[in-house]
Amino acid sequence: MDVLYIYGDSNPWTCDCRLSDFREWIDESNATNDLQQAREDFSVTMYLSGMTCQYPEIHTGTNVVDLTADDMTCTVPTFTELIQWLSIDEGEQINLACEVTGIPRINVYWILPNGTISQPGDSIATLNADNSTETVYSSLTKTSKVEIQGTYACVATNRAGSNAAFIHLEVRPQSTVYQQTSMTTVEWKTHQSL
């Protein structure tokens, strides 16, 4: 029987839910990462070389063959830092921000109080120090006006699902400034005749 040889060396394998179908196919194909077994065991149909997981950290260094499809999970985005209520004076610069983690890659967008969808002006995606999850820091910067107050939604989505966090923005109108003018007091006197 012919054996299919797959060499995945020098590839940063991400062993999350996106690879689970491939992992199930490996099971159905009776694959191995043992070259000797591939040469001697006639039931082996596939030999995988160098398919070592790099991400997430829990699987770093593990060969794909040594994992099950259930090991390859994804997590719904979870918000880690978020201001829920913000009250500022009109005319100030505001920076609405949310921080979210999850596996795999997270897409973030904002829903404004008027219902329109806005892409973040600033969005930075990084892997956590332990490479276990991706963290996205997203911000929306505006100059505050009374008209933009309301509830903003930071929406995060990935293959595992979606989640939203809400920030209520209150913009205090600028105080009306009254000019102080000098006032003259006039006294009215009435004279009575006798």
Side-chain angles (χ1 to χ4, degrees):
M1 177 178 277
D2 289 332
V3 175
L4 173 64
Y5 291 85
I6 299 177
Y7 296 94
D9 299 336
S10 302
N11 288 307
W13 290 90
T14 300
C15 300
D16 61 22
C17 64
R18 295 172 290 181
L19 204 58
S20 62
D21 289 341
F22 176 69
R23 183 61 192 92
E24 287 174 2
W25 179 67
I26 290 171
D27 284 342
E28 293 167 6
S29 303
N30 195 22
T32 184
N33 59 350
D34 180 341
L35 185 57
Q36 188 67 28
Q37 181 185 6
R39 290 182 176 155
E40 295 174 0
D41 185 345
F42 294 113
S43 66
V44 171
T45 59
M46 188 181 340
Y47 167 71
L48 305 172
S49 171
M51 298 183 114
T52 304
C53 302
Q54 178 181 341
Y55 169 74
E57 184 180 85
I58 193 169
H59 301 313
T60 300
T62 305
N63 193 292
V64 173
V65 174
D66 297 329
L67 295 173
T68 67
D70 291 338
D71 291 330
M72 299 178 176
T73 60
C74 290
T75 58
V76 174
T78 303
F79 290 91
T80 53
E81 288 187 32
L82 181 72
I83 297 171
Q84 295 178 348
W85 184 272
L86 184 61
S87 182
I88 62 168
D89 293 324
E90 186 174 22
E92 288 182 28
Q93 273 297 104
I94 57 168
N95 186 30
L96 302 177
C98 64
E99 185 175 293
V100 62
T101 62
I103 300 172
R105 179 174 294 268
I106 303 164
N107 296 309
V108 176
Y109 62 92
W110 290 83
I111 300 177
L112 309 181
N114 65 7
T116 60
I117 294 176
S118 175
Q119 295 303 318
D122 228 352
S123 191
I124 301 168
T126 59
L127 287 177
N128 287 7
D130 65 0
N131 288 330
S132 62
T133 58
E134 178 183 57
T135 298
V136 175
Y137 175 83
S138 176
S139 65
L140 190 64
T141 304
K142 294 190 169 288
T143 300
S144 62
K145 300 176 195 167
V146 174
E147 300 82 38
I148 69 164
Q149 71 181 351
T151 301
Y152 288 75
C154 179
V155 181
T157 63
N158 69 7
R159 184 175 176 162
S162 61
N163 205 348
F166 302 91
I167 303 172
H168 184 76
L169 173 65
E170 175 188 20
V171 180
R172 295 181 298 266
Q174 287 184 337
S175 303
T176 308
V177 179
Y178 294 99
Q179 247 183 343
Q180 188 172 357
T181 56
S182 60
M183 292 174 54
T184 308
T185 306
V186 178
E187 280 186 39
W188 293 93
K189 293 184 184 180
T190 2
H191 295 282
Q192 289 182 343
S193 320
L194 293 174

